Amino acid sequence: MSRIYELTLEAPPGDLIAYDPVRLADAMRIDDPSRLAIEAMGSQALVTIYPTDPLADVRLPDPGFLEMDERGRIWIGRYHNGRKVYVQLYDPKSGSAQRLLLFGTTGAGKSTLGQILLAAMKRSGIATFYGDLKEGQSAPEARGNVDWAVYSQEGVMAQLHTAWCVMRERAARYAAAGRSKFLRDRPDPLLYVVIDEANRLLEKGAPYRDLATFYIKDIGRTGRSLGVGIALLAQAGHLDELGGSDTMRAMLKEGEVLLLRWTSSMMQQLVADGLMPTGQKLAPIPKKAGATRLVSQFEAEADDDRPGTQGTGYHLSGPYPGAKMRAFNVGSKTPTEGLDPEMLALYGDGPHESLEKSSWGAAGEAYIERLDGDSAYNAAFPPPPEPEDDEGRDGRRSRRRSTPAGPARPQAAPRLTIADRVQAALEAADEDLDAHTLLEAVNADGGRPVKLGSIRNALSNLR
Ligand SMILES: Nc1ncnc2c1ncn2[C@@H]1O[C@H](COP(=O)(O)OP(=O)(O)OP(=O)(O)O)[C@@H](O)[C@H]1O
Ligand SMILES: [Mg+2]
């Protein structure tokens, strides 16, 4: 059999079509349920029967295709019927960045799809902060191909804080320029914060849960019109594990949502939270594709070499939420010793985009030095300033008092940037200073120690 059959079904008005894909396959004498694609929506259903699993191996023809199109979309995979699956990272009509949520149980293919997103971002000139809470195991090839990679909760907190500061800096700059919206690359690039294993940051009992939720919520809400987007990759049984915030739920409802293989509790939550379109029913994704058959004890034992279904799922916010899709199978077929050359090829050799220089002052040292771990955290969230720090800076003090209440209050306080300190040291000196002498002078001002690279950056910014 090599034909494709498509059946259109309609239930009497008012009835909803419910089905069990395994029973349906069995009733139609189809041994392998992966040959069957069912899209049910309310009282209508479309059933397609394929000669073989249409999503057995979905390949990206060329990494060059990952570049964002004129509608701000990137191509991430295919639907069962061969149509392209697009995810939007930028809406050119409204000039807005997007929010993206990728759910899936362990081993569902989240990080692999994550690499597709990261590579697409690199190829599209998007500055990306990437945090992997699996200590760098999720996407080792991302290092050097994103603007800033971190592998600790502290590092991710620094990234969130930095993105949030950049957002505020852009807001002030755009307002001063009389601009109401973000225009990609005119002059600032899109900025994305991508967090893999975001559940570890947001689950109950996680050390930075509340503050992380605050940032994600705020970036999700106000970052859009400032070209700052956020993408979370998470395995979550319950949305409560993801910060437990209604506002975040609301925000994610409007974003791009991809669902790979799930657990039943995850699905219940998605339905309960309205993240699933009404009347939508999704055929569950089995762990393995292919036919199963009973094997008698008198037969030879058979190896279970059925292929996996990683990367298979649904693009819930897309035009065909009920159509099974699969992300591109990227990377080498068998695991490689070091970095995977095929994965590296996905990103390409070109340079990655960086944050606009005009925001470096606001971004601060954690970004400029691309710090991770405690040093990133301490740079982003310096301990409360010593009283003498505030001497002669009354304006600063009153601004601090007027920052809104909430978890970010201590972090919202402006602090002396490296540029401020360099300027002060230059003004204090009565002769020209070279970078090394300047470094000594800045480090003698009682503030946090600074490295030569930061001095050089601050100098070139000041120039
Ligand atoms: N679209 C795909 N097609 C085929 N194989 C895939 C696809 N996506 C991922 N895989 C394979 O599935 C395995 C697991 O993928 P991945 O690490 O991306 O999952 P994960 O959801 O991030 O898992 P974890 O929860 O362990 O982090 C990898 O070996 C990968 O090669
Ligand atoms: Mg992973």
Side-chain angles (χ1 to χ4, degrees), residues 61-85:
D62 184 285
F65 286 114
L66 287 179
E67 200 182 317
M68 195 154 87
D69 68 8
E70 72 288 346
R71 288 166 65 185
R73 305 175 309 172
I74 56 164
W75 184 23
I76 61 155
R78 285 194 192 277
Y79 289 104
H80 63 88
N81 49 23
R83 290 192 180 132
K84 294 176 172 182
V85 184

mmCIF file of all heavy atoms in Angstrom, residues 61-85:
data_model
loop_
_atom_site.group_PDB
_atom_site.id
_atom_site.type_symbol
_atom_site.label_atom_id
_atom_site.label_comp_id
_atom_site.label_asym_id
_atom_site.label_seq_id
_atom_site.Cartn_x
_atom_site.Cartn_y
_atom_site.Cartn_z
ATOM 1 N N PRO A 61 16.686 20.628 5.239
ATOM 2 C CA PRO A 61 17.454 20.505 3.992
ATOM 3 C C PRO A 61 18.814 21.200 4.069
ATOM 4 O O PRO A 61 19.796 20.702 3.521
ATOM 5 C CB PRO A 61 16.570 21.170 2.945
ATOM 6 C CG PRO A 61 15.230 21.351 3.567
ATOM 7 C CD PRO A 61 15.389 21.285 5.049
ATOM 8 N N ASP A 62 18.859 22.344 4.742
ATOM 9 C CA ASP A 62 20.115 23.094 4.804
ATOM 10 C C ASP A 62 20.022 24.049 5.998
ATOM 11 O O ASP A 62 18.993 24.686 6.190
ATOM 12 C CB ASP A 62 20.280 23.895 3.498
ATOM 13 C CG ASP A 62 21.612 24.638 3.443
ATOM 14 O OD1 ASP A 62 21.758 25.660 4.139
ATOM 15 O OD2 ASP A 62 22.501 24.165 2.717
ATOM 16 N N PRO A 63 21.114 24.172 6.780
ATOM 17 C CA PRO A 63 21.033 25.068 7.948
ATOM 18 C C PRO A 63 20.677 26.508 7.582
ATOM 19 O O PRO A 63 20.108 27.233 8.391
ATOM 20 C CB PRO A 63 22.444 25.004 8.555
ATOM 21 C CG PRO A 63 23.041 23.751 8.040
ATOM 22 C CD PRO A 63 22.410 23.488 6.702
ATOM 23 N N GLY A 64 20.978 26.907 6.349
ATOM 24 C CA GLY A 64 20.659 28.260 5.906
ATOM 25 C C GLY A 64 19.161 28.560 6.003
ATOM 26 O O GLY A 64 18.754 29.713 6.150
ATOM 27 N N PHE A 65 18.329 27.502 5.951
ATOM 28 C CA PHE A 65 16.880 27.705 6.036
ATOM 29 C C PHE A 65 16.421 28.133 7.428
ATOM 30 O O PHE A 65 15.255 28.424 7.624
ATOM 31 C CB PHE A 65 16.135 26.417 5.647
ATOM 32 C CG PHE A 65 16.148 26.140 4.181
ATOM 33 C CD1 PHE A 65 16.824 25.042 3.663
ATOM 34 C CD2 PHE A 65 15.466 26.982 3.310
ATOM 35 C CE1 PHE A 65 16.831 24.787 2.306
ATOM 36 C CE2 PHE A 65 15.469 26.733 1.953
ATOM 37 C CZ PHE A 65 16.156 25.636 1.438
ATOM 38 N N LEU A 66 17.327 28.094 8.393
ATOM 39 C CA LEU A 66 16.916 28.457 9.753
ATOM 40 C C LEU A 66 16.746 29.963 9.929
ATOM 41 O O LEU A 66 16.161 30.416 10.898
ATOM 42 C CB LEU A 66 17.941 27.942 10.774
ATOM 43 C CG LEU A 66 17.933 26.441 11.013
ATOM 44 C CD1 LEU A 66 19.005 26.069 12.015
ATOM 45 C CD2 LEU A 66 16.568 25.982 11.519
ATOM 46 N N GLU A 67 17.268 30.711 8.994
ATOM 47 C CA GLU A 67 17.183 32.165 9.146
ATOM 48 C C GLU A 67 15.719 32.631 9.127
ATOM 49 O O GLU A 67 14.902 32.113 8.374
ATOM 50 C CB GLU A 67 17.965 32.841 8.016
ATOM 51 C CG GLU A 67 18.322 34.258 8.355
ATOM 52 C CD GLU A 67 19.063 34.931 7.209
ATOM 53 O OE1 GLU A 67 19.950 34.292 6.602
ATOM 54 O OE2 GLU A 67 18.719 36.090 6.917
ATOM 55 N N MET A 68 15.431 33.571 9.982
ATOM 56 C CA MET A 68 14.087 34.122 10.131
ATOM 57 C C MET A 68 13.592 34.705 8.809
ATOM 58 O O MET A 68 14.353 35.366 8.112
ATOM 59 C CB MET A 68 14.202 35.218 11.190
ATOM 60 C CG MET A 68 12.961 35.711 11.777
ATOM 61 S SD MET A 68 13.331 36.360 13.435
ATOM 62 C CE MET A 68 13.790 38.014 13.060
ATOM 63 N N ASP A 69 12.315 34.483 8.475
ATOM 64 C CA ASP A 69 11.804 35.047 7.216
ATOM 65 C C ASP A 69 11.273 36.462 7.436
ATOM 66 O O ASP A 69 11.353 37.004 8.542
ATOM 67 C CB ASP A 69 10.754 34.116 6.584
ATOM 68 C CG ASP A 69 9.465 34.036 7.398
ATOM 69 O OD1 ASP A 69 9.313 34.802 8.367
ATOM 70 O OD2 ASP A 69 8.615 33.193 7.062
ATOM 71 N N GLU A 70 10.736 37.040 6.369
ATOM 72 C CA GLU A 70 10.319 38.461 6.474
ATOM 73 C C GLU A 70 9.149 38.636 7.432
ATOM 74 O O GLU A 70 8.856 39.742 7.872
ATOM 75 C CB GLU A 70 10.040 39.056 5.074
ATOM 76 C CG GLU A 70 8.789 38.592 4.376
ATOM 77 C CD GLU A 70 8.859 37.134 3.864
ATOM 78 O OE1 GLU A 70 9.963 36.529 3.800
ATOM 79 O OE2 GLU A 70 7.788 36.598 3.527
ATOM 80 N N ARG A 71 8.490 37.528 7.770
ATOM 81 C CA ARG A 71 7.388 37.631 8.744
ATOM 82 C C ARG A 71 7.873 37.321 10.166
ATOM 83 O O ARG A 71 7.069 37.142 11.067
ATOM 84 C CB ARG A 71 6.258 36.679 8.345
ATOM 85 C CG ARG A 71 5.525 37.198 7.118
ATOM 86 C CD ARG A 71 4.642 36.160 6.493
ATOM 87 N NE ARG A 71 3.539 35.754 7.351
ATOM 88 C CZ ARG A 71 2.679 34.789 7.056
ATOM 89 N NH1 ARG A 71 2.816 34.113 5.926
ATOM 90 N NH2 ARG A 71 1.707 34.471 7.878
ATOM 91 N N GLY A 72 9.199 37.237 10.321
ATOM 92 C CA GLY A 72 9.754 37.010 11.656
ATOM 93 C C GLY A 72 9.618 35.576 12.128
ATOM 94 O O GLY A 72 9.688 35.294 13.320
ATOM 95 N N ARG A 73 9.426 34.639 11.179
ATOM 96 C CA ARG A 73 9.227 33.246 11.574
ATOM 97 C C ARG A 73 10.470 32.419 11.285
ATOM 98 O O ARG A 73 11.196 32.676 10.323
ATOM 99 C CB ARG A 73 8.053 32.642 10.786
ATOM 100 C CG ARG A 73 6.769 33.419 10.903
ATOM 101 C CD ARG A 73 5.689 32.851 10.003
ATOM 102 N NE ARG A 73 6.148 32.689 8.627
ATOM 103 C CZ ARG A 73 5.467 32.081 7.674
ATOM 104 N NH1 ARG A 73 4.289 31.556 7.927
ATOM 105 N NH2 ARG A 73 5.961 31.964 6.452
ATOM 106 N N ILE A 74 10.660 31.399 12.099
ATOM 107 C CA ILE A 74 11.720 30.449 11.783
ATOM 108 C C ILE A 74 11.076 29.083 11.541
ATOM 109 O O ILE A 74 10.024 28.748 12.092
ATOM 110 C CB ILE A 74 12.786 30.356 12.902
ATOM 111 C CG1 ILE A 74 12.148 30.007 14.247
ATOM 112 C CG2 ILE A 74 13.568 31.654 13.002
ATOM 113 C CD1 ILE A 74 13.139 29.541 15.274
ATOM 114 N N TRP A 75 11.736 28.318 10.717
ATOM 115 C CA TRP A 75 11.218 26.996 10.324
ATOM 116 C C TRP A 75 11.851 25.959 11.249
ATOM 117 O O TRP A 75 13.076 25.855 11.306
ATOM 118 C CB TRP A 75 11.623 26.765 8.860
ATOM 119 C CG TRP A 75 11.103 25.513 8.255
ATOM 120 C CD1 TRP A 75 10.005 24.805 8.657
ATOM 121 C CD2 TRP A 75 11.644 24.829 7.122
ATOM 122 N NE1 TRP A 75 9.823 23.721 7.843
ATOM 123 C CE2 TRP A 75 10.816 23.713 6.897
ATOM 124 C CE3 TRP A 75 12.738 25.046 6.290
ATOM 125 C CZ2 TRP A 75 11.062 22.803 5.864
ATOM 126 C CZ3 TRP A 75 12.975 24.149 5.260
ATOM 127 C CH2 TRP A 75 12.142 23.038 5.051
ATOM 128 N N ILE A 76 11.018 25.233 11.979
ATOM 129 C CA ILE A 76 11.582 24.295 12.954
ATOM 130 C C ILE A 76 11.311 22.820 12.666
ATOM 131 O O ILE A 76 11.927 21.956 13.265
ATOM 132 C CB ILE A 76 11.075 24.600 14.384
ATOM 133 C CG1 ILE A 76 9.539 24.463 14.455
ATOM 134 C CG2 ILE A 76 11.497 25.999 14.846
ATOM 135 C CD1 ILE A 76 9.047 24.143 15.843
ATOM 136 N N GLY A 77 10.389 22.542 11.750
ATOM 137 C CA GLY A 77 10.091 21.134 11.481
ATOM 138 C C GLY A 77 8.930 21.012 10.518
ATOM 139 O O GLY A 77 8.617 21.965 9.794
ATOM 140 N N ARG A 78 8.320 19.817 10.513
ATOM 141 C CA ARG A 78 7.206 19.596 9.583
ATOM 142 C C ARG A 78 6.012 18.956 10.279
ATOM 143 O O ARG A 78 6.178 18.198 11.232
ATOM 144 C CB ARG A 78 7.635 18.647 8.457
ATOM 145 C CG ARG A 78 8.536 19.283 7.436
ATOM 146 C CD ARG A 78 8.604 18.390 6.204
ATOM 147 N NE ARG A 78 9.674 18.817 5.308
ATOM 148 C CZ ARG A 78 9.543 19.797 4.412
ATOM 149 N NH1 ARG A 78 8.401 20.443 4.297
ATOM 150 N NH2 ARG A 78 10.555 20.121 3.636
ATOM 151 N N TYR A 79 4.826 19.244 9.738
ATOM 152 C CA TYR A 79 3.621 18.533 10.155
ATOM 153 C C TYR A 79 3.578 17.195 9.430
ATOM 154 O O TYR A 79 4.280 17.003 8.428
ATOM 155 C CB TYR A 79 2.379 19.346 9.785
ATOM 156 C CG TYR A 79 2.199 20.595 10.619
ATOM 157 C CD1 TYR A 79 2.492 21.854 10.096
ATOM 158 C CD2 TYR A 79 1.735 20.515 11.922
ATOM 159 C CE1 TYR A 79 2.318 23.004 10.857
ATOM 160 C CE2 TYR A 79 1.557 21.664 12.688
ATOM 161 C CZ TYR A 79 1.854 22.898 12.146
ATOM 162 O OH TYR A 79 1.688 24.039 12.904
ATOM 163 N N HIS A 80 2.673 16.316 9.900
ATOM 164 C CA HIS A 80 2.585 14.980 9.282
ATOM 165 C C HIS A 80 2.310 15.054 7.791
ATOM 166 O O HIS A 80 2.720 14.204 7.022
ATOM 167 C CB HIS A 80 1.505 14.146 9.991
ATOM 168 C CG HIS A 80 0.123 14.711 9.864
ATOM 169 N ND1 HIS A 80 -0.700 14.399 8.814
ATOM 170 C CD2 HIS A 80 -0.571 15.591 10.634
ATOM 171 C CE1 HIS A 80 -1.859 15.054 8.953
ATOM 172 N NE2 HIS A 80 -1.794 15.775 10.063
ATOM 173 N N ASN A 81 1.619 16.127 7.360
ATOM 174 C CA ASN A 81 1.277 16.218 5.935
ATOM 175 C C ASN A 81 2.357 16.934 5.128
ATOM 176 O O ASN A 81 2.150 17.276 3.971
ATOM 177 C CB ASN A 81 -0.065 16.942 5.776
ATOM 178 C CG ASN A 81 -0.103 18.237 6.569
ATOM 179 O OD1 ASN A 81 0.949 18.807 6.872
ATOM 180 N ND2 ASN A 81 -1.286 18.698 6.907
ATOM 181 N N GLY A 82 3.495 17.180 5.750
ATOM 182 C CA GLY A 82 4.622 17.768 5.020
ATOM 183 C C GLY A 82 4.680 19.276 5.120
ATOM 184 O O GLY A 82 5.669 19.891 4.741
ATOM 185 N N ARG A 83 3.591 19.893 5.648
ATOM 186 C CA ARG A 83 3.625 21.357 5.758
ATOM 187 C C ARG A 83 4.699 21.792 6.744
ATOM 188 O O ARG A 83 5.046 21.047 7.659
ATOM 189 C CB ARG A 83 2.269 21.877 6.238
ATOM 190 C CG ARG A 83 1.209 21.721 5.193
ATOM 191 C CD ARG A 83 -0.037 22.492 5.580
ATOM 192 N NE ARG A 83 -1.027 22.310 4.531
ATOM 193 C CZ ARG A 83 -2.302 21.989 4.746
ATOM 194 N NH1 ARG A 83 -2.744 21.836 5.968
ATOM 195 N NH2 ARG A 83 -3.118 21.817 3.737
ATOM 196 N N LYS A 84 5.159 23.015 6.548
ATOM 197 C CA LYS A 84 6.245 23.518 7.404
ATOM 198 C C LYS A 84 5.702 24.013 8.740
ATOM 199 O O LYS A 84 4.639 24.635 8.784
ATOM 200 C CB LYS A 84 6.957 24.679 6.709
ATOM 201 C CG LYS A 84 7.699 24.266 5.452
ATOM 202 C CD LYS A 84 8.286 25.499 4.795
ATOM 203 C CE LYS A 84 9.207 25.104 3.643
ATOM 204 N NZ LYS A 84 9.818 26.284 3.025
ATOM 205 N N VAL A 85 6.451 23.752 9.785
ATOM 206 C CA VAL A 85 6.094 24.288 11.102
ATOM 207 C C VAL A 85 6.960 25.527 11.339
ATOM 208 O O VAL A 85 8.185 25.447 11.299
ATOM 209 C CB VAL A 85 6.355 23.277 12.233
ATOM 210 C CG1 VAL A 85 5.881 23.847 13.574
ATOM 211 C CG2 VAL A 85 5.701 21.942 11.936
#
